[in-house]
Amino acid sequence: MNAVRMRRPVSSLSLGSSLKGKLVRAGFQFVTDLQDLNPEHLSAEAGVSQQEALEALQAASSGHAVAPVTALELLQKEEEFRNIVTFCSPLDEALGGGVPVGKVTEICGAPGVGKTQLCPQLGGDVQVPAVFGGLGGQVLFVDTEGGFQVQRLVDLAGAAVRHCSLLAEDEEQRVAMTTFTVETILSNVFLVRCRDYVELLAELHLLPDFLSDRPRLRLLVIDSVAFPFLHIHDDLSQRTRLLQGLGLRLIAAATDHNIAVVTTNHMTTRLRSSHVQLAPALGDLWGHAPSIRLLLRWEESRRLASIIKSPGHMDATVQYQITCQGFRDADQSEQLQSKRPRTQTDQSTSSRENTRT
Amino acid sequence: MVVLLVGMCPGLDEDLLQSLRAADIRTVEDLVSSDIEDLAQKCSVSYKALFAIRRVLLAQNTAFPVSGADLYEELLSSTAILSTGNPSLDKLLDSGLYTGEITELTGGPGSGKSQVCFGVAVHIAYQLKQSVIYIDTTGGLTASRLLQMLQTETNNTDEQMEALQRIHTFRLFDVGALLDCLYGLSGGGLHKVCVGGGSVKALIVDSVSAVITPLLGGKQNEGMSLMIQVAAALKTMAKDFNVAVLVTNHVTRSSSGEAQPGLGVSWSHVPRTRILLERVERGASGRRSATLIKSSRQACLIKEDFDLQWWSRAEGEKGGETSGKRKLDETDT
């Protein structure tokens, strides 16, 4: 049996279903039937308008297929963009340098654990100039919960600027510092407030155009993706479909425009064979959308971040600290005041001992 | 339904076509299923001419039976079995992925489907020196991970780069693009890909459910049709081009809480072999268990455990290099 060229059915083309129905009923079942026809002939035969006939003929003409990219070229492209550092070195190491560009990363955790702290921090970190090892990029924040605080962003921006000015050694870096100030950081942050899932979906629909206009944008943060969908109780299957469509759009935006997408998610209880477990909300089907999942939690008095899903790195758990300067390594707890005050003094010494091991 | 066109067979000219159209005969089916005498009178054409045309059309559009012996001969000469690189998986698959068939990997998030796909791609590209086509719809394809896996197989950078060049990737995020890609490949794209050296022996789609599930359910009526078209395109490619097709699928929970493959019953007939991947509850973080849930060659529900870190080593031997995700500093060369 020789390999016969496969005949592509008309119903597999990306056209409206009513148009495809008319074409098939008129007897045009395969794409080869449509070739070498002119629009007038086709519109007469199938009973469709000239416009639709033209659309159908364009879809039928070959040359739509994208050329493949070899894995080597993909590797070179990946190495082009650095990761976004979190300033907590064990976490950065576990993630392979930081939050990666071109992928969707999800941060989940119980309320109050620090998800909304990490988001503005990443918004500042993505703007660190290239000479310091950063990306020098802009950031789009989509706030669905109303939890965005400008003051916190100002604090974190200030910390990032101070950190870099301490590191500035040569002329190039000093020049970069002149444009890296709290004001410029704030001017490179775009904020959108979405009050329900319709607004969120609409915003993401407009995203590709927004991204094409701003080639410097390297980070999209959605805080949180769960909140607008948690209200939908009546039609759960529709919720799942909407979420999946959303997931695909985010992945497409991340890949096509080389941006890092960070979403935050809530936790929900799951009953698994009579024992209760906390799991990320929005279900398993949403769980397939983010490539990387970071789980933030408390364990006694320590803050832990676990990588529970990643395509390139093993699952790992690291300890971190949230200070007034933002996410930092847990070891720095001596000098800086931690965000949640310790109730007993001996607890702080014992946690310091833990981190020294 | 094939439209009647001028020149399809001798005797079918423009005038005849017009008179047939006037009698409401537009397609081959209409012609073949109508009464020839009646039609001859209506169109004022001779009965013999119409009968001859019908015979030619039937001959052109029929499928011919093939004898079992010929089919067997052909299968023996054209089917190849590609090892996945992991001995435990090979055991489940009855020595590997068979060309001409679709094998499915299913599992929840983080269960290791993409990792297994990477391992298979790297093994085929490096060990078997054949080309692989990798279609990614999840955004999880990380070339640096592929390189990591290659680095455990060989230290020679030239060989690593060569192997990476044999893996051809597509990143698509909707079903229309997937169908365009598959038909584009079958229409000549595969030959272009082969020019680099090594014929294409495997086609990996990770994952097929990511682009189809948003279309199923609700008031949408195209989802099932598109799903079956993807299935048809994959099957025809597997058979006609002698490639092994590996797809991944998500899981849904049945009412008793058990994991079952997604995309429903209609899709369950498409892959020949199905494997369910799960995390091992109290194992090391790289351990996964694979269960055979559909197979035409082995008894079902055989389970094998393996470690994602030790892709090419069997259970017993744990010496030497690992394909661990985090780069180890020094390994014995």
Side-chain angles (χ1 to χ4, degrees), chain B residues 26 52 133 201 206 217 265:
Chain B
R26 294 173 163 277
I133 295 188
K201 275 284 164 241
D206 177 22
V265 179

Side-chain angles (χ1 to χ4, degrees), chain A residues 6 8-9 11-12 20 24 27 29 66 69 71-72 78 103 241 244 255 285 308 310-311 313 315-316, chain B residues 1 3 115 141-144 161 164 167 169-171 180 183 213 216 220 222 229 236 250 279 325-326:
Chain A
M6 262 164 37
R8 181 172 183 178
S11 38
S12 72
K20 287 197 275 197
V24 170
Q29 202 174 16
V66 181
V69 174
L72 187 60
E78 273 176 26
K103 301 246 184 298
R241 275 196 302 282
Q244 286 194 299
T255 327
L285 280 178
I308 54 178
S310 166
H313 302 276
D315 299 353
Chain B
M1 291 204 293
V3 177
Q115 293 299 313
L141 178 59
T142 316
S144 46
M161 297 301 131
L164 281 181
I167 303 176
T169 66
F170 289 90
R171 287 192 295 185
D180 283 340
Y183 281 106
T213 22
L216 295 174
Q220 302 165 110
E222 272 214 302
Q229 293 200 25
T236 333
H250 65 276
R279 279 185 191 236
K325 285 192 201 184
R326 205 177 285 159

Side-chain angles (χ1 to χ4, degrees), chain A residues 13-304:
Chain A
L13 292 172
S14 333
L15 297 169
S17 49
S18 67
L19 173 57
K20 287 197 275 197
K22 287 186 196 160
L23 288 173
V24 170
R25 271 193 295 277
F28 298 100
Q29 202 174 16
F30 294 106
V31 166
T32 41
D33 298 337
L34 282 180
Q35 283 164 357
D36 311 325
L37 284 183
N38 54 14
E40 293 83 21
H41 188 182
L42 180 60
S43 69
E45 282 280 334
V48 297
S49 72
Q50 279 266 45
Q51 180 76 5
E52 290 179 319
L54 201 58
E55 209 188 311
L57 287 171
Q58 275 172 349
S61 64
S62 48
H64 281 276
V66 181
V69 174
T70 65
L72 187 60
E73 290 163 19
L74 205 59
L75 184 68
Q76 286 158 351
K77 193 164 162 230
E78 273 176 26
E79 288 173 348
E80 223 179 282
F81 290 103
R82 302 182 178 110
N83 296 348
I84 305 177
V85 289
T86 60
F87 280 124
C88 169
S89 28
L91 186 58
D92 285 337
E93 211 182 283
L95 286 171
V99 172
V101 163
K103 301 246 184 298
V104 178
T105 307
E106 181 174 90
I107 305 174
C108 12
V113 80
K115 307 187 290 291
T116 315
Q117 291 300 317
L118 189 50
C119 298
Q121 169 141 6
L122 291 172
D125 295 344
V126 74
Q127 300 193 36
V128 168
V131 287
F132 289 103
L135 284 151
Q138 298 172 321
V139 52
L140 171 64
F141 265 100
V142 176
D143 181 20
T144 60
E145 293 183 343
F148 184 79
Q149 291 173 329
V150 179
Q151 192 50 50
R152 186 64 181 152
L153 180 62
V154 168
D155 292 341
L156 295 169
V161 168
R162 273 194 301 282
H163 184 95
C164 288
S165 52
L166 287 174
L167 288 177
E169 290 168 345
D170 57 28
E171 191 52 42
E172 216 185 336
Q173 290 178 336
R174 270 188 279 271
V175 167
M177 280 315 295
T178 54
T179 48
F180 186 56
T181 62
V182 175
E183 286 76 28
T184 51
I185 291 180
L186 290 177
S187 65
N188 282 323
V189 173
F190 303 101
L191 175 67
V192 174
R193 282 234 162 84
C194 293
R195 282 162 299 185
D196 57 29
Y197 73 90
V198 176
E199 286 187 20
L200 179 61
L201 291 171
E203 185 58 41
L204 291 179
H205 208 82
L206 299 171
L207 191 62
D209 292 330
F210 187 89
L211 291 174
S212 316
D213 287 337
R214 284 165 192 75
R216 266 184 65 205
L217 206 134
R218 289 274 92 79
L219 175 64
L220 165 66
V221 179
I222 304 184
D223 181 20
S224 67
V225 77
F227 190 70
F229 290 96
L230 291 177
H231 299 308
I232 307 178
H233 295 297
D234 44 357
D235 194 351
L236 284 179
S237 57
Q238 191 204 27
R239 183 181 96 168
T240 316
R241 275 196 302 282
L242 289 174
L243 278 171
Q244 286 194 299
L246 186 98
L248 278 177
R249 267 192 218 282
L250 289 176
I251 299 172
T255 327
D256 297 337
H257 297 266
N258 293 314
I259 62 173
V261 177
V262 174
T263 62
T264 61
N265 196 1
H266 297 179
M267 300 295 277
T268 182
T269 12
R270 180 174 280 192
L271 291 157
R272 192 71 61 82
S273 53
S274 82
H275 71 266
V276 162
Q277 208 183 24
L278 269 187
L282 300 178
D284 270 347
L285 280 178
W286 168 254
H288 290 279
S291 307
I292 300 165
R293 259 190 161 168
L294 203 57
L295 175 67
L296 303 180
R297 62 185 201 275
W298 279 99
E299 199 173 271
E300 291 142 34
S301 58
R302 301 190 302 162
R303 290 178 182 273
L304 295 178

Side-chain angles (χ1 to χ4, degrees), chain A residues 312-329:
Chain A
H313 302 276
M314 282 308 275
D315 299 353
T317 302
V318 300
Q319 196 179 347
Y320 66 94
Q321 185 81 19
I322 298 187
T323 67
C324 47
Q325 296 193 352
F327 258 64
R328 290 292 184 273
D329 295 6

